[in-house]
Amino acid sequence: MQLMSVHLPESHLVSFGEFGSANSTSVTEFELLGFLDLQNFHTPVFLILLVIYLLILSGNSVIFTLIYAHPRLHIPMYYFVAILAVLEVFYTTVTMPKMLADLQRSTPSISLPGCLLQIYFFHALGITEACLLTAMAYDRYLAICTPLKYPTTMTPKRCFQLVLACFTCGFTCH
């Protein structure tokens, strides 16, 4: 079984510079070969992944909506859960639509800028999610270890600062 190989079309490989006949590589597009053993199963795999993607979208939307709609859930722990739900939607939306579209094409491919953008956002959102989970752990630590100080320590302003720090770290620190 061959996993996610990249095939570079011959037309994109050789170019001649203006200072002689030096070869250089110029890649503009990647052809994604994927799982070669699953060529006959693209439609079932597409349907399974589509159902999973729709469940992710709807489940996280329900979580966010419930937290937003109920004032009793407007506490730091649930703010973090709501942000995590939104991050999860963005995180899966970085890759799933392209994967679903490529399953319907005969020659799936991705442009170099598209590939770089997808890698950037995938890693940035992943780092942001890891930082947010750390902030959530810190929130629970404060709630358990210092319950009397917790309401004055973990204010909405502090929550916002922690979330902003998570996004800053995720989108600038890699």
Side-chain angles (χ1 to χ4, degrees):
M1 177 184 287
Q2 185 176 0
L3 301 175
M4 295 308 286
S5 297
V6 176
H7 177 263
L8 301 175
E10 298 260 346
S11 62
H12 299 305
L13 293 180
V14 178
S15 65
F16 295 100
E18 62 183 68
F19 299 110
S21 63
N23 288 338
S24 65
T25 302
S26 174
V27 178
T28 59
E29 188 174 66
F30 298 106
E31 288 182 18
L32 306 173
L33 298 179
F35 297 102
L36 296 177
D37 297 343
L38 298 177
Q39 293 296 327
N40 299 330
F41 300 104
H42 278 201
T43 302
V45 170
F46 172 82
L47 292 174
I48 291 169
L49 289 176
L50 180 64
V51 168
I52 291 170
Y53 182 55
L54 293 175
L55 285 173
I56 290 170
L57 292 179
S58 59
N60 285 305
S61 298
V62 166
I63 290 170
F64 183 79
T65 304
L66 286 175
I67 292 171
Y68 181 76
H70 294 282
R72 292 181 61 195
L73 299 179
H74 293 184
I75 59 174
M77 180 177 71
Y78 290 109
Y79 282 137
F80 289 130
V81 170
I83 299 295
L84 187 64
V86 171
L87 268 176
E88 189 65 29
V89 167
F90 291 153
Y91 189 67
T92 55
T93 301
V94 167
T95 55
M96 287 295 276
K98 177 70 175 148
M99 187 185 321
L100 291 171
D102 284 345
L103 281 170
Q104 298 301 310
R105 293 190 185 136
S106 59
T107 56
S109 64
I110 188 168
S111 67
L112 181 61
C115 181
L116 293 176
L117 276 172
Q118 189 176 36
I119 289 171
Y120 173 76
F121 282 108
F122 186 77
H123 285 102
L125 290 167
I127 293 168
T128 304
E129 193 169 317
C131 291
L132 186 66
L133 289 170
T134 304
M136 291 173 76
Y138 177 67
D139 171 63
R140 293 295 83 206
Y141 168 79
L142 288 177
I144 292 168
C145 293
T146 58
L148 297 177
K149 290 183 184 179
Y150 179 75
T152 58
T153 305
M154 191 57 72
T155 61
K157 181 181 178 182
R158 178 69 44 92
C159 282
F160 178 75
Q161 290 170 339
L162 285 170
V163 169
L164 187 63
C166 292
F167 275 90
T168 302
C169 182
F171 282 89
T172 59
C173 297
H174 61 298

